[in-house]
Amino acid sequence: MLSVSIKKDVPDVGLSLSGNLDMVTSEVLNETFERLDEVQMRSLTISIGGLNFIDSTGVGQLLGYYKRCTARDIGFRIENDNPEIEAILEIIGIREIVNS
Amino acid sequence: MEETAGLADPISIRPYKEYQARYQSWEPVGELKIESKADIARIRRELDTCFAAHLSCWSKVRLPVLLAVSEAVTNVVKYTPGGRLLVYADTAGLSFHVIDYGTGLDLDVLPSLLFGKGFSTSSSLGMGFPIMDKYADAVTAYTSGRGTILVLQFDIDC
């Protein structure tokens, strides 16, 4: 199960995730992302410290949002204070790209 | 259980026929079907519940084990018609055999999948391998045109 909450609205959007982000739940986050007003959005921050689990599919999804935001000149950050989740991000290599 | 003895560190590719010879006498403690993406979360839940009740140090090792197994199971759901997971446990640790009914790993692209770091490869198939490589003590792939069996070994002493 994945829970997505909008903490801040445009122009500087903040999303907070809790639960599991994987192939099973990725569509839940995608539905929220697709509803965001990209024309009005100046930055997007996704907080993932509340996740219990993320796999490479979930990390790949975050990377896709990074690419999409960057292409539209929208700032993108991943906030995380969960060391277990951070270890996964580093193994996959997304930290070399996002918030580097 | 002497699975890792003599194998190259950490990922080893072996002929499919060797699997049966090596594991013929092994008795799994559990078997779980892999048929749809709902099975990915179900398998994580069932393993978590089972080992929390039987392994005293499970809380310390659960995330690496569940993540690596989940990556292997996800690959089965994404890229093959299905498969099953066999679970083995003894005093040396835990061993997970992820069996798929696909057409086998493509040996031409396998090196970049196994040794490329995450997104350095253009194929999404490779993203889970760095995780399995990092967290499992040994990963052995038995592959042929009949499918692939990925054996993830975790040396757990508790």
Side-chain angles (χ1 to χ4, degrees):
Chain A
M1 183 181 290
L2 175 71
S3 174
V4 183
S5 58
I6 300 176
K7 297 296 183 186
K8 290 170 69 179
D9 211 336
V10 288
D12 296 305
V13 176
L15 300 182
S16 182
L17 312 186
S18 59
N20 301 330
L21 178 57
D22 61 8
M23 183 185 175
V24 183
T25 61
S26 60
E27 193 53 38
V28 176
L29 175 58
N30 218 34
E31 285 171 6
T32 302
F33 182 83
E34 293 299 337
R35 285 202 305 268
L36 297 175
D37 183 352
E38 291 184 50
V39 174
Q40 299 292 323
M41 191 158 54
R42 186 169 55 195
S43 70
L44 172 62
T45 299
I46 302 181
S47 300
I48 61 172
L51 288 177
N52 300 315
F53 183 86
I54 185 170
D55 69 358
S56 63
T57 302
V59 175
Q61 189 174 9
L62 297 178
L63 185 70
Y65 298 152
Y66 163 79
K67 289 178 177 174
R68 187 156 148 182
C69 286
T70 302
R72 289 164 173 75
D73 208 22
I74 297 168
F76 182 86
R77 289 188 62 80
I78 296 172
E79 282 186 352
N80 175 48
D81 56 4
N82 182 330
E84 288 185 325
I85 298 295
E86 192 65 27
I88 298 168
L89 301 187
E90 300 214 348
I91 288 165
I92 294 181
I94 195 172
R95 280 308 192 198
E96 295 170 13
I97 301 168
V98 182
N99 299 19
S100 60
Chain B
M1 198 188 291
E2 297 180 77
E3 151 60 14
T4 59
L7 296 181
D9 178 50
I11 297 177
S12 178
I13 313 298
R14 311 297 298 174
Y16 195 89
K17 62 184 179 185
E18 280 189 17
Y19 178 82
Q20 205 164 19
R22 183 181 290 263
Y23 296 106
Q24 202 167 19
S25 62
W26 287 33
E27 286 294 331
V29 296
E31 178 170 351
L32 299 162
K33 287 182 182 174
I34 306 170
E35 293 175 337
S36 69
K37 67 180 184 180
D39 291 330
I40 301 169
R42 179 183 60 82
I43 285 171
R44 281 203 311 266
R45 274 197 311 273
E46 291 196 18
L47 294 178
D48 199 16
T49 302
C50 172
F51 291 125
H54 293 97
L55 278 181
S56 59
C57 65
W58 178 242
S59 63
K60 293 178 187 168
V61 300
R62 66 177 290 277
L63 184 67
V65 172
L66 292 179
L67 180 58
V69 173
S70 185
E71 293 289 349
V73 171
T74 297
N75 278 350
V76 174
V77 173
K78 273 186 179 176
Y79 303 111
T80 80
R84 59 201 169 104
L85 169 68
L86 301 179
V87 183
Y88 298 88
D90 69 7
T91 53
L94 302 174
S95 184
F96 299 89
H97 298 202
V98 182
I99 301 168
D100 74 54
Y101 309 134
T103 55
L105 293 172
D106 184 345
L107 296 178
D108 290 333
V109 300
L110 200 56
S112 66
L113 296 182
L114 297 180
F115 303 114
K117 186 175 181 182
F119 301 103
S120 61
T121 172
S122 60
S123 166
S124 62
L125 178 59
M127 292 195 294
F129 277 101
I131 289 176
M132 292 183 245
D133 180 12
K134 170 74 178 178
Y135 286 134
D137 291 295
V139 181
T140 308
Y142 299 85
T143 190
S144 79
R146 291 180 296 164
T148 299
I149 303 173
L150 204 59
V151 176
L152 306 177
Q153 171 69 32
F154 297 86
D155 302 331
I156 295 171
D157 182 19
C158 65

